[in-house]
Amino acid sequence: MADRNKVKLVQALVGAVVLTVLMQGMTLLGMLQYIWMLFLPLLMFFALGADFKKIPDMLIGYAVGELWCVINSLVSGAFGAAFGDNPLLSQLIPTILVIFCILTVHENLFEGQVFSNIPCIFMGMATSFMMLFMQVPITYFHLFGFWCYGLVLAVCLVLSGMAVCSAIFGKERAMAALAPKAPEDK
């Protein structure tokens, strides 16, 4: 078995244990049915390159997405009051306008700034829509708390995996094995 595979095998075992243990916090809080929410920030963290420096952008982006959900609800409510039950005018047009505003504001005006993490903005908006449309008994604050806790899990996963692999294989071997493969190495 290649050295890289051995290190990754140990990392996988450590990660499985760490994530499973830390997820029990949701059970202790009586929110077992929302454990799935913890995987969304994990997914986003690793999709964005597992870069700790991106965590503030991820937190702000998610909260901004929740805010855009509120704005979308207000705009849809205003259009609904003006145009009644017409789904095109009361729901589709307002949502098109809000998404246009999100992309214009965050990709153009805030490009490269802390408010420009479009994937996290849409994740915050999407989970907020889910909360509203499915009428689950949680709030925006719960969603943001789940997002934060999921990011804590991501950090713990990376740090614990690196610590254990470094202790077993040495820091240099562990770092070399856990570094992403270059495209020509794949």
Side-chain angles (χ1 to χ4, degrees):
M1 180 183 290
D3 199 43
R4 181 177 182 86
N5 296 90
K6 291 176 190 174
V7 173
K8 287 190 166 252
L9 188 61
V10 169
Q11 179 201 31
L13 177 60
V14 170
V17 171
V18 167
L19 286 179
T20 302
V21 169
L22 291 177
M23 284 183 187
Q24 300 316 303
M26 295 294 280
T27 304
L28 296 173
L29 293 171
M31 302 213 166
L32 180 63
Q33 69 272 34
Y34 301 111
I35 275 186
W36 64 270
M37 275 285 304
L38 301 179
F39 288 96
L40 299 176
L42 279 167
L43 176 148
M44 193 65 68
F45 176 75
F46 288 107
L48 293 172
D51 184 354
F52 293 129
K53 294 176 190 163
K54 292 182 181 175
I55 290 175
D57 293 356
M58 292 177 69
L59 290 168
I60 291 168
Y62 189 86
V64 167
E66 290 181 317
L67 179 62
W68 276 110
C69 180
V70 171
I71 292 168
N72 187 78
S73 296
L74 294 172
V75 172
S76 292
F79 273 67
F83 300 109
D85 292 334
N86 182 325
L88 176 68
L89 296 174
S90 66
Q91 295 172 2
L92 293 178
I93 298 298
T95 301
I96 289 169
L97 290 172
V98 169
I99 291 172
F100 174 78
C101 288
I102 291 170
L103 295 173
T104 299
V105 167
H106 299 285
E107 282 193 332
N108 293 327
L109 299 177
F110 291 128
E111 185 177 15
Q113 303 299 314
V114 71
F115 293 109
S116 65
N117 190 320
I118 298 295
C120 290
I121 290 170
F122 280 128
M123 185 69 77
M125 192 173 181
T127 55
S128 297
F129 280 146
M130 181 276 313
M131 176 192 70
L132 293 174
F133 296 154
M134 296 183 76
Q135 299 177 345
V136 293
I138 57 174
T139 67
Y140 294 105
F141 295 110
H142 288 99
L143 291 176
F144 188 74
F146 300 155
W147 185 257
C148 292
Y149 192 55
L151 286 172
V152 167
L153 294 181
V155 169
C156 290
L157 175 67
V158 170
L159 295 179
S160 64
M162 188 53 146
V164 171
C165 289
S166 293
I168 294 171
F169 300 101
K171 187 174 181 179
E172 287 182 21
R173 278 176 65 197
M175 287 182 69
L178 296 175
K181 275 190 167 184
E184 62 273 359
D185 294 340
K186 291 184 179 179

